[in-house]
Amino acid sequence: MLLKDTFTALIQTYTQDAAVIEPHWLEIEKAYSGKKRHYHNLTHLEQLWQQLLPLKAEITDWDTVLFSLFYHDIVYNVRRQDNEEKSAELAKQRLQALPYPPAGIEKCIVQILATKSHALSSDLDTNLFTDADLAILGQDWPTYHSYTLQVRQEYAIYPDLLYKPGRKKVLQHFLNMERIFKTAHFFSLYEQVARTNLSREIGEL
């Protein structure tokens, strides 16, 4: 598996202990393969990796961005509002145990927390990471529509009466941004289509 190979190569830079490497990967695989994961799953991680790989030369701390990728949605419970915080805390624990450089751990925490609001950061790596996380918004309508159905499945415990107003609020949050995508690369690729998609979904809710 591409993701497993990528993670294994990443973590082997910091430990050669198979007793550490394998459990770390299995934890990630199990979390993202949960039966309630319809969008925030291993496919999402692979798509995110594919968005970032062509930008590797522009990213200052590639290893940290990769760790952020693998851990940013590791805790995902639609009943809770602190998934990003919980994911960041778990990432911190796992990276400290490697051990990973403290500055890299702090940056990883910042990047994971940044996926909560997707606000502009002063750090290019973080902006590229959060932009890649939102790349689904700028895909063609059939791909975007499939994504919206997957998200709805994840929130299946909520009736439309509750889901639709909440979803509209999220979509409007992005539309109210001066720029959804903070970097030139992603802005040029996806901004216009993303705004069209978001507006269309609001109209159909």
Side-chain angles (χ1 to χ4, degrees):
M1 181 190 289
L2 179 63
L3 283 175
K4 182 178 181 179
D5 291 345
T6 300
F7 182 79
T8 300
L10 170 66
I11 200 171
Q12 281 178 338
T13 305
Y14 305 95
T15 179
Q16 294 293 317
D17 188 349
V20 173
I21 296 171
E22 190 66 15
H24 274 63
W25 168 251
L26 290 176
E27 179 180 51
I28 291 168
E29 185 178 48
K30 181 180 179 181
Y32 287 94
S33 300
K35 63 181 181 179
K36 296 180 181 180
R37 300 271 192 143
H38 300 281
Y39 174 72
H40 295 89
N41 51 29
L42 292 172
T43 300
H44 169 57
L45 294 191
E46 188 165 338
Q47 290 171 343
L48 185 48
W49 181 82
Q50 290 172 348
Q51 290 287 339
L52 289 168
L53 188 60
L55 303 169
K56 185 175 181 179
E58 296 182 37
I59 293 174
T60 303
D61 189 347
W62 179 248
D63 285 4
T64 295
V65 167
L66 281 183
F67 276 123
S68 296
L69 182 158
F70 282 108
Y71 284 103
H72 79 287
D73 283 327
I74 195 165
V75 177
Y76 188 76
N77 183 340
V78 298
R79 297 177 184 272
R80 299 184 64 93
Q81 301 295 317
D82 61 352
N83 290 312
E84 293 84 2
E85 289 84 357
K86 293 290 187 182
S87 295
E89 179 58 33
L90 184 58
K92 179 181 178 180
Q93 293 173 13
R94 299 297 178 262
L95 293 179
Q96 284 179 334
L98 283 180
Y100 195 66
I105 295 174
E106 288 306 310
K107 190 169 183 178
C108 183
I109 292 169
V110 168
Q111 288 172 354
I112 293 173
L113 294 178
T115 63
K116 196 176 184 91
S117 65
H118 291 89
L120 178 65
S121 170
S122 59
D123 177 62
L124 178 60
D125 284 5
T126 301
N127 288 330
L128 288 170
F129 176 67
T130 57
D131 276 2
D133 189 43
L134 294 181
I136 187 65
L137 303 183
Q139 306 305 305
D140 60 80
W141 176 254
T143 301
Y144 178 87
H145 184 59
S146 177
Y147 146 75
T148 67
L149 296 178
Q150 291 166 348
V151 172
R152 184 65 184 99
Q153 283 181 285
E154 290 184 337
Y155 283 82
I157 61 170
Y158 296 107
D160 283 349
L161 185 66
L162 294 176
Y163 177 77
K164 288 186 175 182
R167 180 66 179 170
K168 285 182 181 179
K169 184 178 179 181
V170 171
L171 301 178
Q172 196 62 54
H173 166 74
F174 288 117
L175 285 174
N176 289 344
M177 289 180 168
E178 184 176 345
R179 290 171 59 125
I180 297 171
F181 296 96
K182 309 307 187 291
T183 61
H185 172 83
F186 286 101
F187 183 87
S188 63
L189 282 177
Y190 300 132
E191 184 81 12
Q192 185 174 355
V193 176
R195 289 187 176 277
T196 299
N197 287 339
L198 293 168
S199 296
R200 180 172 175 179
E201 185 185 353
I202 288 176
E204 294 186 359
L205 283 171

